Amino acid sequence: MEHISFPPLSRVAICGGTHGNEMSGVYMVREMQQKQKADQVGSVSITTVLSNPRAVDACRRYIDKDLNRCFTDDLLSAPVTDSTPYELRRAQELNAQLGPKGSQEAVDVVCDLHNTTANMGLCFIFYSLDWITMHIYKYIKSKITSAPVRAIQLDIPMSEAYSLESVGKHGCAIEVGPQPGGVVRADIFNLVKEALDLTIEWLQGFNSGSTFEGGEVEVYNMVKSVDYPRDPTTNEITAAIHPELQDNDFKLLHPGDPMFLKFSGEAVKHEGEELYPFFVNECAYYEKKIACHLGKKFNITIPSVSVKKD
């Protein structure tokens, strides 16, 4: 592939607490603010943001509405009234601070820190084929050995991109687990810290003129979401994730493999094509009626990149 040059990536936002009970990001942002790392690291100016302070104070995922579903173009441009949910107001505030989304004034990179209760290791989640984000992912994957590092691409137009990282010119969610809501685990916190340190290291190398060679990167693309089996009358769930699937995120699911174990004792098996499960039994997805996502794995060839010369 051809070589691509980009302008310097000097303005970076590190966000935590978008979901108020995902504690790695909350404590990472607080730690960085206490150490006054929110200023300048070499060529990179860092802004730290506690995204949803009311939810953080309450140690809840959100107050009125999931903040990480509030960043579509339509929602960001919606008029604010007395009845507007808190998180919609907050999304527009964050868009004004870090964006506006899709503009030249937006920060160069947004890293939004998340936790999952699923056994997913460290995952980069991003929209479209963003060469900068994919190079950062490639770099981190080559450096971190203490946990699996994977990437999930959401094939959604940027106007419909709903999460905070879409406000930046480039962006990703860094999703790390397993960690229960309201809990901070040292191993998970340190994994987040290592990923952030490597991200800043890559950005400084990029800004200083280093060329990062292209190559193939492995990416998962979501195909569909699967709900729990439910009682048709009460709509209550009638099964749990099967023990053979539990904690086996990203392990290929074959037709006939058990997915659920009914409370009455029978297994419910996977039907259809071979797919990879992730966000398996995520606590926050019960309200969304999602037991897990299923996706395909593929390789993407990315170009070499460097900073654009004046």
Side-chain angles (χ1 to χ4, degrees):
M1 293 185 74
E2 61 181 311
H3 178 88
I4 299 180
S5 298
F6 291 89
L9 303 168
S10 56
R11 297 168 58 225
V12 177
I14 296 172
C15 305
T18 300
H19 294 135
N21 61 351
E22 296 179 7
M23 305 311 292
S24 294
V26 172
Y27 285 109
M28 181 62 65
V29 166
R30 286 175 172 168
E31 177 72 8
M32 294 180 75
Q33 289 175 343
Q34 284 183 351
K35 290 188 173 179
Q36 296 183 322
K37 285 186 179 177
D39 300 331
Q40 193 82 20
V41 180
S43 61
V44 179
S45 172
I46 300 174
T47 299
T48 52
V49 180
L50 198 61
S51 309
N52 195 337
R54 286 193 195 174
V56 170
D57 288 345
C59 198
R60 289 169 50 183
R61 182 174 173 86
Y62 57 82
I63 300 300
D64 296 324
K65 182 179 176 68
D66 190 336
L67 176 60
N68 219 33
R69 301 295 183 272
C70 291
F71 292 91
T72 64
D73 285 6
D74 285 349
L75 290 175
L76 291 176
S77 60
V80 173
T81 67
D82 290 344
S83 62
T84 299
Y86 164 68
E87 275 82 6
L88 280 181
R89 295 171 184 264
R90 183 62 181 147
Q92 294 192 10
E93 291 172 2
L94 290 166
N95 186 51
Q97 178 184 358
L98 304 177
K101 179 180 174 180
S103 74
Q104 286 303 306
E105 291 73 41
V107 297
D108 296 310
V109 180
V110 174
C111 293
D112 193 24
L113 307 178
H114 289 266
N115 292 121
T116 173
T117 61
N119 188 31
M120 288 173 56
L122 191 153
C123 277
F124 270 65
I125 303 176
F126 50 83
Y127 296 95
S128 70
L129 298 179
D130 182 334
W131 302 137
I132 293 296
T133 304
M134 295 181 78
H135 264 281
I136 294 171
Y137 157 62
K138 178 174 180 278
Y139 185 73
I140 289 175
K141 187 176 177 67
S142 74
K143 298 288 187 180
I144 289 182
T145 58
S146 59
V149 179
R150 303 182 180 96
I152 298 169
Q153 186 227 336
L154 303 176
D155 194 11
I156 298 172
M158 287 308 292
S159 63
E160 299 171 24
Y162 49 74
S163 48
L164 173 55
E165 69 272 15
S166 68
V167 170
K169 292 189 185 78
H170 310 276
C172 65
I174 299 178
E175 186 90 44
V176 190
Q179 179 169 283
V183 170
V184 59
R185 284 178 47 159
D187 57 342
I188 300 295
F189 180 89
N190 287 336
L191 191 55
V192 172
K193 184 178 186 304
E194 187 176 5
L196 276 183
D197 288 346
L198 289 168
T199 297
I200 301 303
E201 183 176 288
W202 187 91
L203 290 167
Q204 295 211 68
F206 175 86
N207 289 338
S208 69
S210 297
T211 295
F212 291 90
E213 297 300 327
E216 284 200 343
V217 295
E218 186 180 89
V219 175
Y220 293 83
N221 186 261
M222 193 171 80
V223 172
K224 62 180 179 178
S225 302
V226 178
D227 191 9
Y228 295 88
R230 293 182 182 272
D231 184 293
T233 304
T234 65
N235 208 33
E236 294 293 328
I237 66 172
T238 58
I241 294 291
H242 196 281
E244 291 184 25
L245 175 57
Q246 182 64 52
D247 298 326
N248 279 316
D249 296 71
F250 299 104
K251 181 180 178 182
L252 186 62
L253 198 59
H254 302 89
D257 286 349
M259 281 195 75
F260 301 99
L261 185 63
K262 287 190 174 182
F263 301 137
S264 55
E266 307 93 43
V268 178
K269 297 179 179 179
H270 172 59
E271 298 177 354
E273 62 184 327
E274 295 181 343
L275 293 168
Y276 292 87
F278 45 92
F279 283 108
V280 174
N281 208 11
E282 163 59 47
C283 173
Y285 286 0
Y286 276 75
E287 69 174 24
K288 301 180 189 297
K289 297 186 176 180
I290 296 173
C292 66
H293 296 311
L294 297 177
K296 293 183 177 181
K297 180 171 69 172
F298 59 100
N299 290 325
I300 295 176
T301 302
I302 62 175
S304 62
V305 298
S306 64
V307 71
K308 190 175 292 184
K309 307 293 185 185
D310 291 333

